[in-house]
């Protein structure tokens, strides 16, 4: 393989984690998380590099990565908004929040704005049902949302 | 309604605040790690016996007696044994484990070290759902503190016992809350449930004997060791359920949230109208899902039931993970069921035929009915598809999708019929 | 032996046997898709669900080990209903394109649907469809037909050792595929099609060539290497359409390599020489021209007799052919030096070794061990002064460098191989004869004639008979 995409930090983090597991394949999920934190999405090249590091076939990396919804196998915007629309959030108005956001950003669920700033997604239960409706903005939770609160959050983003 | 609520002891909830996180708080205000020290002086059999006496039952959903589960682990094993904490908390309507990890991480670490000692495991993992990034950070910080203070690592507190604990993040898959799906995910694979037998206690993580316990279950262990299994058992008000329980109430109640109550001490009505102050906007109650979205639904007439394993089972539903979802009269139950089934279809791993094909089919039929394009025969078809999934899948996800369908249609058949006959939702 | 009861019938079993196998032994067939005796058990398709006394839920027979006294029902109303519903689930998204599907006629999905399914469907939703990317030269994928049994994935990870077939996404969207249209890497790709219980993975070479129910099947053995994988030759109207592996747990289990699978293609190669040929003498760049058997044999004799001659006996010949030559050669070419040959670098069985982790052997001929046992010596080089060589082989032994020598070839050759030969006596391939071959583990196995030889090709015994007969008539004259 040519030049590496993933940083030294990635590799040192992984070698710190390695003794924690009885085999290297178990590092796959942590490695994909770390790679995504660096690259914001998991391109085929990144997946190949992760596979080479762990010592498994590129197909196996894709097989695992595509099973989980948190791994972005397509590019995402700078701000990745993931609205929970599961039961408890729906009962508390998640649908109208999502609809509001779609209108405001001018995109549908699953799309990214042309300026690559926002990606809008529908998410399954975030485990924040007591503080519904909830959403994730990148890695952070925002709970007990309503439209004014959502607007304030969006306006606070650069 | 609140009048007949007596005072009782709680274990967790008084500590659910930001200041409880550091190890100093845990050591000073919660007799932190005294249970571990005590357990290190006990034999493995004695610890397991104490947990058996406590009538602690798994808080993840299945309600299996914890002491008995630990007893399944072989004493000797050629392969390393593992203790895994199931912190996937993926059943919609459930959010109690998050509070435990967020506010009292050391309680979980303490409980895990004791459990690991009891089963003879030197390696432990906390499999936490990927979305809980903040809780992951808190746990990692707490684990560092525990290592520094000699509660994790080699020769804990000068004993022979060593225990290494690692937080492993999931990545967005409900099915990883199923223990064998979780183990596959831990091993770097797709989170597909495994064929059982072998059960994890024989061959679990990395082929070694493994115990998988829920967060709340493990967090209860220090209390049991400190104050005795009999004491813990008596906290519960039913014969077979010891301790207190964390109830998660969400949906159309005025005060949703986590409530800690003695196991078997309260009815659904008391929870909803007492502790949670009744229905939002003082509307009428339509339905209650008592144990996470996979639990069969109850009508407003069925809420005078004690919220615990056996009483709920007796009326055809389940306590599950104690995630109680309350629905008021103005929300369409067809829409609600469609959303529930959509979730299970989305989360089906796709391995086994009835779940992979059937869940999506049910979703399609429900979509049609909700849209007003349903046909007379659709209700019967829906029930038959559900029946063909129920009890016929590799893991419990099939039942989780079929149970709600069967119960919703049975209890709210008129709503479904109204959609079909009227060609639209009668509420709109 | 412990016993259990299946459908009221006592069935013996050995501990560790699953209910599918135990039932099979007792003559009761339990339908299944994902189960395969050569792969791990995943219990995914749920087709083999059976009723077991004292167990409230139906159990999958593939993942349930028989125990003493277990009472099993494979034909109770509950079981039949479960089978019917599994068939319905499997077919709701299946295209039902049996009329144009190559698997039709040997398709588990089709057969089980016939035996256990319902005649009509209640499904009115849009069927799930996929876009298929290429998977290389051997296998054609049609994901719409797939029933997600994952046999192919398990074959890759567990048998061929390459994790190249994978399940992408999950749930109802799960797609079984290689990644990004990558070609399959394994040398055993044909097995993917064999184990596929539907027409999702088919062999490109066989596509649209023949309806399988028209094929006549002859059990035989592969001649591709010294393993001797058991196989079936499938032919119709004297044309071989394909070879498929035949189960033999002692030799190849259920598998066969692609090299062996497609080896048969030379039988019908348009460049195969199927009539006696003799080089025009007295010309510099002599061309082989069609002749008849008598002239060709006479010419062969005149080239080989009375000269310093060597005989190369292909280790792709059978024991019967080897024995025949041991009788023939001392009489007719008494001074000739005789060697067996087959694979460059493999002079004797000592040089033979595994060529990969699964089946392939270094010896590229099937009967090296047998000919060695008959006493033939391996070819390394000719003695000095050898002028002429008699090459006798099937179609597989690889010719050594014969330049500068006069060559008579008896066996299966193609145009380019025989370009410099003086005489070609067209013989028979493995599919055109009966015989015995001995594999590297001393196992004697039978190959069987599936088709008649093409053109004027003759079996070795016929050719040697003619040779002998004509000598006598010459001698009398």
């Amino acid at each position: 393989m040519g030049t590496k995409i993933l940083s030294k930090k990635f590799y040192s983090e992984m070698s710190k984690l390695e003794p924690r597991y009885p085999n290297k394949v178990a590092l796959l999920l942590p490695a994909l998380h770390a790679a995504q934190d660096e690259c914001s999405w998991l391109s085929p090249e990144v997946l190949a590099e992760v596979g080479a590091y762990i010592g498994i076939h590129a197909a196996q990396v894709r097989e695992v990565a595509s099973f989980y919804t948190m791994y972005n196998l397509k590019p995402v915007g700078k701000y990745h908004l993931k609205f929970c629309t599961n039961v408890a959030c729906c009962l508390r108005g998640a649908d109208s929040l999502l609809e509001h956001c779609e209108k405001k950003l001018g995109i549908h669920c699953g799309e990214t704005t042309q300026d690559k700033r926002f990606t809008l997604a529908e998410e399954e239960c975030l485990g924040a049902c007591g503080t519904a409706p909830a959403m994730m903005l990148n890695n952070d939770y925002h709970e007990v949302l309503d439209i004014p609160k959502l607007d304030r959050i969006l306006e606070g983003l650069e | 309604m609140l009048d007949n609520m007596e005072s009782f002891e709680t274990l967790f909830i008084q500590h659910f605040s930001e200041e409880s996180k550091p190890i100093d708080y845990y050591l000073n205000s919660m007799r932190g790690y005294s249970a571990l020290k005590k357990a290190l002086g006990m034999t493995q059999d004695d610890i397991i016996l104490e947990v058996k006496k406590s009538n602690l039952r798994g808080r993840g959903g299945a309600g299996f007696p914890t002491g008995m589960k630990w007893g399944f682990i072989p004493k000797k094993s050629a392969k390393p044994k593992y203790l895994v904490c199931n912190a996937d908390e993926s059943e919609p309507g459930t959010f109690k484990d998050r509070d435990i990890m967020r506010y009292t991480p050391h309680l979980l670490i303490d409980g895990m070290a004791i459990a690991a000692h009891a089963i003879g495991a030197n390696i432990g993992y906390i499999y936490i759902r990927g979305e809980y990034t903040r809780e992951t950070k808190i746990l990692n910080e707490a684990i560092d503190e525990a290592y520094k203070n000699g509660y994790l690592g080699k020769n804990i507190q000068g004993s022979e016992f060593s225990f290494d604990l690692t937080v492993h993040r999931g990545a967005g898959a409900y099915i990883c809350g199923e223990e064998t799906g979780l183990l596959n995910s831990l091993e770097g694979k797709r989170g597909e449930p495994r064929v059982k037998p072998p059960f994890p206690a024989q061959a679990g993580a990395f082929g070694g004997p493994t115990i998988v316990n829920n967060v709340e279950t493990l967090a209860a262990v220090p209390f049991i060791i400190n104050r005795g299994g009999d004491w813990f058992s008596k906290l519960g008000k039913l014969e077979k359920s010891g301790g207190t329980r964390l109830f998660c109430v969400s949906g159309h109640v005025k005060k949703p949230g986590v409530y800690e109550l003695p196991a078997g001490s309260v009815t659904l009505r008391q929870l909803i109208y007492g502790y949670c102050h009744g229905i939002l906007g003082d509307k009428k109650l339509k339905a209650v899902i008592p144990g996470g979205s996979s639990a069969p639904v109850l009508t407003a007439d069925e809420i005078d039931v004690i919220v615990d394993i056996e009483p709920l089972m007796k009326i055809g539903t389940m306590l599950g993970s104690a995630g109680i979802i309350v629905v008021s009269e103005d929300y369409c139950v067809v829409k609600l069921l469609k959303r529930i089934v959509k979730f299970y279809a989305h989360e089906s791993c796709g391995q086994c035929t009835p779940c992979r094909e059937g869940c999506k089919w049910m979703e399609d039929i429900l979509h049609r009915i909700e849209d007003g394009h349903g046909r007379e025969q659709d209700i019967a078809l829906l029930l038959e598809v559900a029946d063909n999934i129920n009890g016929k899948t590799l893991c419990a996800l099939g039942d989780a999708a079929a149970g709600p369908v069967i119960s919703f249609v049975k209890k709210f058949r008129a709503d479904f019929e109204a959609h079909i006959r009227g060609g639209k939702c009668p509420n709109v | 032996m412990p016993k259990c009861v299946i459908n009221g019938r006592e069935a013996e079993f050995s501990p560790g046997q699953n209910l599918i196998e135990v039932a099979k032994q007792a003559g009761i067939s339990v339908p299944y898709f994902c189960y395969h005796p050569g792969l791990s058990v995943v219990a995914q398709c749920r087709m083999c669900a059976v009723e077991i006394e004292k167990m409230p839920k139906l159990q999958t027979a593939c993942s349930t080990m028989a125990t003493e006294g277990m009472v099993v029902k494979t034909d109770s109303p509950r079981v039949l209903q479960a089978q019917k519903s599994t068939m319905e689930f499997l077919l709701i998204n299946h295209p039902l394109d049996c009329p144009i599907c190559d698997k039709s006629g040997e398709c588990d999905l089709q057969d089980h649907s016939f035996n256990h399914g319902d005649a009509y469907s209640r499904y009115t939703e849009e069927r799930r469809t996929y876009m298929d990317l290429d998977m290389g030269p051997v296998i054609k994928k049609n994901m719409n037909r797939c029933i997600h049994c994952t046999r192919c994935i398990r074959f890759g990870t567990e048998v061929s050792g390459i994790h190249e077939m994978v399940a992408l996404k999950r749930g109802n969207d799960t797609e079984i595929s290689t990644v990004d249209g990558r070609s399959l890497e394994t040398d055993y790709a044909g097995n993917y099609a064999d184990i596929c219980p539907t027409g999702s993975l088919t062999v490109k070479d066989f596509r649209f060539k023949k309806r399988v129910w028209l094929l006549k099947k002859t059990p035989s053995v592969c001649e591709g290497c010294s393993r001797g994988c058991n196989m079936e030759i499938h032919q119709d109207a004297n044309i071989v359409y394909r070879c498929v592996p035949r189960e033999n747990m002692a030799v190849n289990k259920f598998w066969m390599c692609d090299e062996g699978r497609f080896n048969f293609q030379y039988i019908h190669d348009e460049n195969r020489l199927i009539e006696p040929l003799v080089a025009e003498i007295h010309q510099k760049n002599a061309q082989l021209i069609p002749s008849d058997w008598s002239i060709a044999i006479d010419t062969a004799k005149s080239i080989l007799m009375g000269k310093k001659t060597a005989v190369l006996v292909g280790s792709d010949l059978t024991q019967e052919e080897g024995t025949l030559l041991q009788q023939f050669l001392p009489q007719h070419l008494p001074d000739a030096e005789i060697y067996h040959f087959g694979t460059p670098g493999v002079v004797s069985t000592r040089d033979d070794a595994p060529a990969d982790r699964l089946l392939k052997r270094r010896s590229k001929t099937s009967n090296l061990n047998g000919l060695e046992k008959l006493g033939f010596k391996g070819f390394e080089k000719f003695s000095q002064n050898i002028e002429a060589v008699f090459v006798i082989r099937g179609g597989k032994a690889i010719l050594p460098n014969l330049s500068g020598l006069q060559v008579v070839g008896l066996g299966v050759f193609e145009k380019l191989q025989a370009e410099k030969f003086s005489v070609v006596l067209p013989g028979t391939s493995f599919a055109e004869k009966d015989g015995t071959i001995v594999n590297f583990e001393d196992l004697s196995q039978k190959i069987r004639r599936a088709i008649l030889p093409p053109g004027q090709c003759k079996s070795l015994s016929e050719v040697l008979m003619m040779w002998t007969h004509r000598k006598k008539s010459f001698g009398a004259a």
Side-chain angles (χ1 to χ4, degrees):
Chain A
M1 193 189 287
T3 48
K4 292 217 158 72
I5 304 164
L6 297 166
S7 71
K8 277 198 182 128
K9 186 171 154 266
F10 170 87
Y11 285 98
S12 73
E13 228 174 87
M14 285 303 117
S15 44
K16 245 188 266 164
L17 217 47
E18 205 180 319
R20 295 262 167 185
Y21 297 94
N23 64 43
K24 224 173 163 185
V25 182
L27 283 176
L28 185 49
L29 265 66
L32 291 171
H33 277 305
Q36 180 159 300
D37 284 345
E38 270 185 19
C39 307
S40 94
W41 74 289
L42 299 169
S43 64
E45 294 75 22
V46 170
L47 291 175
E49 192 173 325
V50 170
Y53 166 70
I54 289 176
I56 54 175
H57 200 283
Q60 195 181 340
V61 183
R62 182 81 67 90
E63 178 175 49
V64 172
S66 68
F67 185 83
Y68 299 95
T69 54
M70 283 182 75
Y71 297 127
N72 305 323
L73 297 175
K74 281 189 282 184
V76 291
K78 184 175 176 192
Y79 301 110
H80 196 178
L81 297 159
K82 292 172 274 189
F83 283 88
C84 174
T85 60
N86 206 300
V87 180
C89 285
C90 257
L91 293 175
R92 289 277 184 161
D95 287 351
S96 54
L97 276 181
L98 185 60
E99 214 173 288
H100 175 76
C101 212
E102 281 185 328
K103 259 189 218 148
K104 188 155 183 160
L105 298 176
I107 50 173
H108 289 109
C109 213
E111 294 175 349
T112 302
T113 54
Q114 283 208 318
D115 60 7
K116 307 262 191 300
R117 288 183 74 226
F118 295 97
T119 298
L120 193 55
E122 193 178 350
E123 193 67 26
E124 289 301 351
C125 184
L126 294 173
C129 322
T131 43
M135 71 154 182
M136 279 185 92
L137 169 55
N138 296 340
N139 276 331
D140 300 320
Y141 273 57
H142 293 269
E143 296 160 67
V144 205
L145 289 171
D146 51 29
I147 287 176
K149 190 170 172 186
L150 176 62
D151 283 339
R152 280 198 301 279
I153 293 166
L154 291 179
E155 277 148 26
L157 302 173
E158 17 159 332
Chain B
M1 193 65 64
L2 282 161
D3 301 341
N4 56 8
M5 291 193 298
E6 33 176 320
S7 69
F8 47 81
E9 185 175 4
T10 59
L11 310 178
F12 300 95
I13 207 149
Q14 65 271 32
H15 303 292
F16 282 178
S17 71
E18 293 293 333
E19 66 195 28
S20 321
K21 267 188 285 190
I23 194 164
D24 289 342
Y25 178 92
Y26 187 58
L27 292 170
N28 300 328
S29 307
M30 295 179 74
R31 296 174 65 190
Y33 293 107
S34 58
L36 174 59
K37 285 180 200 161
K38 186 174 173 189
L40 288 172
M42 293 166 73
T43 65
Q44 298 182 332
D45 288 339
D46 285 345
I47 300 173
I48 294 176
L49 188 70
E50 211 55 43
V51 175
K52 278 184 181 164
K53 272 198 272 180
S54 76
N55 277 326
L56 172 64
R57 296 168 79 172
R59 302 290 198 243
F64 196 82
T66 306
M68 197 193 283
K69 196 176 197 179
W70 291 3
F72 293 152
I73 279 274
K75 279 260 172 318
K76 291 211 171 94
S77 163
K79 288 188 170 168
K81 301 182 209 174
Y82 297 92
L83 173 71
V84 179
C85 171
N86 185 344
D88 195 58
E89 191 153 71
S90 42
E91 183 69 27
T94 317
F95 45 94
K96 61 192 173 64
D97 296 339
R98 184 178 171 214
D99 280 355
I100 295 175
M101 294 186 283
R102 189 167 159 188
Y103 299 126
T104 58
H106 284 285
L107 189 59
L108 176 59
I109 297 168
D110 198 353
M112 283 191 78
I114 297 166
H117 174 51
I119 62 166
N122 301 113
I123 306 168
Y125 298 98
I126 300 173
Y127 184 97
I128 188 169
R129 58 177 304 164
E131 293 86 351
Y132 282 174
T133 50
R134 180 169 56 174
E135 290 72 18
T136 302
K137 195 163 160 272
I138 292 168
L139 282 171
N140 276 324
E141 284 163 5
I143 286 172
D144 283 348
E145 283 181 321
Y147 269 101
K148 278 187 197 128
N149 288 275
Y151 299 116
L152 285 175
K154 278 213 161 54
N155 302 104
I156 293 173
Q157 298 296 304
S159 73
E160 296 281 288
F161 175 60
S162 302
F163 183 53
D164 281 311
L165 183 58
T166 306
V167 182
H168 186 96
R169 282 177 69 200
Y174 165 79
I175 197 59
C176 292
E178 197 278 349
E179 61 179 1
T180 56
L182 182 154
L183 293 175
N184 272 339
S185 185
L186 176 66
E187 291 179 16
K189 301 172 187 162
R190 292 162 67 84
E192 292 165 343
R194 300 174 180 171
V195 186
K196 287 175 269 189
F199 291 93
Q202 295 133 32
F206 309 102
T210 304
I211 288 293
V212 184
N213 281 141
N214 165 263
V215 174
E216 187 188 343
T217 313
L218 287 164
V221 171
F223 299 112
I224 293 167
I225 297 304
N226 266 334
R227 298 173 68 178
D230 288 331
W231 163 82
F232 188 87
S233 177
K234 282 188 195 121
L235 283 180
K237 299 301 170 217
L238 292 175
E239 199 189 330
K240 287 193 215 155
S241 283
T244 62
R245 262 191 188 284
L246 295 175
F247 295 98
C248 320
V249 190
S250 64
H252 295 144
V253 286
K254 286 181 186 163
K255 279 185 70 182
V258 176
Y259 293 87
E260 182 177 8
L261 298 160
S265 68
V266 65
T267 64
L268 264 180
R269 186 180 299 280
Q270 287 168 322
L271 248 183
I272 296 167
Y273 288 99
Y275 293 96
C276 298
H277 293 252
I279 309 296
L280 217 52
D282 291 319
K283 295 210 169 100
K284 264 171 69 185
L285 177 68
K286 174 91 179 184
V288 182
I289 302 168
S293 66
S294 60
V297 70
L298 297 174
T299 64
D301 301 334
E302 294 176 294
I303 61 170
D304 291 307
V305 60
I306 296 283
V307 201
D308 208 77
I309 298 171
E310 277 76 21
L312 284 169
M313 205 189 289
K314 223 177 261 172
I315 60 165
T317 182
M318 61 187 189
L319 176 64
S321 50
I324 297 153
I325 305 167
V326 180
V327 187
S328 77
E329 59 183 336
D330 55 352
Y331 201 87
C332 171
V333 284
V334 177
K335 185 175 171 182
L336 185 64
L337 178 62
K338 189 196 85 178
R339 188 60 190 84
I340 291 172
V341 172
K342 181 183 168 200
F343 171 71
Y344 291 105
H346 182 262
E347 300 299 330
S348 164
C349 80
Q351 279 190 103
C352 78
T353 307
C355 179
R356 178 186 63 244
E357 305 293 337
C359 290
K360 177 69 169 41
W361 193 3
M362 292 196 301
E363 183 193 339
D364 289 344
I365 298 168
L366 281 164
H367 186 82
R368 202 162 60 209
I369 297 174
E370 200 223 338
D371 250 16
H373 303 298
R375 297 166 301 209
E376 278 300 319
Q377 67 269 33
D378 274 347
I379 294 179
L381 177 61
L382 188 62
L383 286 175
E384 275 178 54
V385 174
D387 197 47
N388 287 340
I389 299 171
N390 207 14
K392 299 184 181 70
T393 50
L394 183 66
C395 78
L397 196 143
D399 300 357
V405 170
I406 296 168
S407 66
F408 267 81
V409 174
K410 188 174 151 203
K411 293 181 180 172
F412 302 105
R413 195 176 181 107
D415 293 73
F416 289 82
E417 285 169 351
H419 278 75
I420 292 171
R421 298 204 178 125
K424 64 179 174 51
C425 178
N427 291 358
V428 177
Chain C
M1 268 233 224
K3 288 188 192 107
C4 62
V5 178
I6 305 180
N7 298 350
R9 217 185 290 175
E10 252 187 15
E12 288 195 332
F13 64 91
S14 22
Q17 262 189 316
N18 71 22
L19 289 178
I20 289 183
E21 297 297 339
V22 178
K24 205 178 275 177
Q25 276 172 20
I28 297 164
S29 85
V30 178
Y32 56 82
F33 294 105
C34 69
Y35 174 70
H36 188 289
L39 303 171
S40 65
V41 169
V42 290
Q44 290 176 350
C45 73
R46 316 307 283 179
M47 190 63 195
C48 69
V50 295
E51 202 172 324
I52 299 173
E53 222 166 64
K54 292 184 198 132
M55 290 192 171
K57 286 184 182 179
L58 298 180
Q59 301 291 316
T60 44
C62 64
S63 64
T64 308
M65 303 303 146
T67 56
E68 177 68 44
M70 187 182 253
V71 178
V72 183
K73 280 187 198 141
T74 74
D75 57 359
S76 70
R78 264 176 84 202
V79 171
L80 298 183
Q81 160 56 26
Q83 288 170 344
K84 199 182 262 195
S85 91
T86 303
M87 281 317 307
E88 180 177 43
F89 282 138
L90 288 173
L91 292 179
I92 57 176
N93 280 302
H94 188 81
L96 301 170
D97 56 348
C98 307
I100 51 129
C101 178
D102 275 301
K103 197 75 174 188
S104 192
E106 56 178 12
C107 174
D108 291 346
L109 189 64
Q110 197 180 44
D111 292 348
H112 292 339
S113 176
F114 183 82
N115 289 320
H116 310 285
D118 230 333
Y120 68 96
S121 172
R122 300 181 290 180
Y123 192 69
T124 53
E125 269 61 46
E126 196 176 322
R127 277 165 209 265
R128 175 182 62 215
T129 52
Y130 298 87
M131 285 286 291
D132 287 309
L133 297 174
D134 193 54
M135 292 205 334
V138 183
I139 296 290
K140 168 76 187 169
K141 189 180 76 151
N142 182 332
M143 184 64 209
N144 294 342
R145 294 176 184 155
C146 177
I147 57 165
H148 300 84
C149 74
T150 71
R151 277 182 181 179
C152 55
I153 299 178
R154 283 174 282 144
F155 176 80
T157 54
E158 296 166 13
V159 182
S160 83
I162 305 175
H163 199 139
E164 56 184 342
M165 288 294 293
V166 293
L168 298 172
K169 300 194 204 161
R170 71 180 186 209
N172 203 264
D173 299 327
T174 307
E175 177 174 6
I176 314 291
S177 179
T178 58
V179 165
D180 296 334
R182 278 187 192 223
S183 288
L184 290 166
E185 294 162 34
T186 178
D187 297 332
Y188 293 82
N191 297 287
Y192 284 129
D194 298 336
I195 58 173
C196 181
T198 80
S200 185
L201 301 173
T202 52
V203 171
K204 278 187 176 171
D205 183 67
F206 181 67
R207 288 190 94 210
F208 304 135
K209 290 213 175 124
K210 205 74 191 168
R211 303 294 357 197
V212 297
W213 51 86
L214 298 174
L215 294 170
K216 270 71 92 183
K217 300 168 183 181
T218 311
S220 191
V221 177
C222 175
E223 63 160 359
C225 77
S226 56
R227 169 83 53 183
C229 291
N230 290 211
M231 67 174 190
E232 275 178 2
I233 301 170
H234 291 183
Q235 61 88 18
D236 181 48
N238 233 27
I239 295 169
V240 176
Y241 286 92
R242 62 175 182 181
C243 291
V244 296
R246 182 164 57 92
E247 178 183 331
N248 185 333
M249 293 312 280
V251 181
N252 54 305
K253 297 197 175 121
F254 314 91
W255 323 117
M256 128 180 248
C257 72
D258 293 339
E259 209 179 316
R261 181 185 301 264
F262 299 121
N263 173 59
F264 76 91
Q265 288 167 335
Y266 77 83
I267 297 172
H268 304 303
D269 194 306
E270 57 177 12
N271 289 315
R272 175 175 170 184
L273 303 174
I274 54 170
E275 50 192 351
L277 301 169
V278 175
E280 292 173 301
I281 14 176
H282 312 305
Q283 283 192 18
K284 249 203 172 164
N285 288 319
Q287 290 243 315
L288 282 168
I289 54 165
S291 177
D292 68 24
W293 272 102
S294 1
I295 294 170
I297 286 178
D298 288 347
T299 317
K301 279 181 187 172
S302 70
I303 290 167
L304 297 172
M305 291 164 81
K307 283 204 191 74
K308 286 279 283 178
T309 300
V311 181
L312 289 181
V313 178
S315 44
D316 53 352
L317 295 179
T318 62
Q319 290 302 80
E320 291 78 0
E321 288 170 319
T323 311
L324 204 58
L325 286 169
Q326 279 183 324
Q327 287 160 11
F328 172 85
L329 292 172
Q331 280 183 41
H332 296 275
L333 295 168
D335 301 323
E337 47 191 57
I338 303 168
Y339 308 102
H340 70 72
F341 78 105
T343 314
V346 182
V347 177
S348 80
T349 49
R350 278 195 308 276
D351 304 322
D352 191 16
D356 67 11
R357 60 184 286 262
L358 193 50
L359 296 174
K360 289 188 185 185
R361 305 277 307 170
R362 286 191 60 202
S363 169
K364 288 290 150 209
T365 52
S366 55
N367 200 27
L368 172 66
N369 193 9
L371 289 197
E372 212 169 82
K373 282 191 192 310
L374 289 178
F376 286 96
K377 293 223 159 25
F379 172 75
E380 280 174 285
K381 58 177 191 196
F382 297 116
S383 332
Q384 284 188 333
N385 311 325
I386 289 289
E387 298 158 278
V389 181
F390 191 12
V391 180
I392 307 161
R393 68 161 199 179
K396 195 73 179 65
I398 297 159
L399 299 171
N401 180 11
L402 300 170
S403 60
L405 298 166
Q406 272 198 294
V407 182
V408 172
L410 165 52
V412 182
F413 300 96
E414 59 166 75
K415 225 177 193 168
L416 274 175
Q417 288 172 331
E419 219 174 18
K420 298 273 162 59
F421 285 13
S422 304
V423 177
V424 173
L425 306 172
T428 49
S429 74
F430 71 93
E432 295 146 8
K433 65 188 172 195
D434 290 321
T436 309
I437 54 178
V438 184
N439 87 342
F440 77 103
E441 287 176 312
D442 295 341
L443 186 71
S444 287
Q445 306 193 96
K446 297 282 181 204
I447 64 166
R448 301 264 179 227
R449 190 169 77 172
I451 54 171
L452 296 168
Q456 297 189 52
C457 294
K458 284 187 192 302
S459 69
L460 184 68
S461 57
E462 274 181 283
V463 177
L464 298 187
M465 198 98 81
M466 281 181 72
W467 181 300
T468 311
H469 177 70
R470 285 192 68 77
K471 183 189 170 205
K472 274 182 189 155
S473 60
F474 257 132

